[in-house]
Amino acid sequence: MKYTLTPMTAELIPQIAALERACFSHPWTEEMLQQELWNEAAVIIVALREDGVVLGYAGLQTVLDEGYINNVAVAANVRRQGIADELIAAIGEVTLESADAVDAAQAALDA
């Protein structure tokens, strides 16, 4: 299966919110995800299939010089195929020193 890793965009939020509801008992809402688009201390990286379907995502929050992964989710029908591993690896490449976490995420994905 072919997919790419990309930073979250507004167009992907409904699919990510649906995945949240499928995976978690206390899911983030579309509004909460929308707020993360403007949060310079946050990055959400999405595994996006060629046809535009969200397969999974992982989120990173930074506080000062620390960061933590807040959520990792993969659609049930594509689990155990390495998607979560790749998402976590991409999150790990995000530099915490960057003033703009989204640019850092894109740079890590382009490398």
Side-chain angles (χ1 to χ4, degrees), residues 94-107:
V94 173
T95 59
L96 299 179
E97 291 80 30
S98 173
D100 185 350
V102 173
D103 285 347
Q106 187 60 54

Side-chain angles (χ1 to χ4, degrees), residues 30-104:
E30 287 190 31
E31 293 78 20
M32 294 166 77
L33 291 164
Q34 185 75 33
Q35 290 175 0
E36 293 303 288
L37 283 175
W38 308 110
N39 182 353
E40 290 184 2
V43 174
I44 295 179
I45 297 178
V46 179
L48 192 62
R49 199 168 62 194
E50 290 178 313
D51 62 359
V53 172
V54 171
L55 301 175
Y57 74 93
L60 171 73
Q61 286 283 331
T62 60
V63 179
L64 300 173
D65 63 345
E66 296 181 6
Y68 65 93
I69 296 172
N70 51 22
N71 276 351
V72 178
V74 175
N77 63 326
V78 294
R79 290 184 184 154
R80 300 204 173 271
Q81 297 182 38
I83 295 170
D85 290 340
E86 286 193 46
L87 286 165
I88 291 169
I91 287 287
E93 293 177 18
V94 173
T95 59
L96 299 179
E97 291 80 30
S98 173
D100 185 350
V102 173
D103 285 347

Side-chain angles (χ1 to χ4, degrees), residues 13-29:
I13 288 175
Q15 288 188 71
I16 295 168
L19 186 56
E20 274 277 322
R21 290 188 299 274
C23 293
F24 300 111
S25 58
H26 299 289
W28 287 22
T29 64

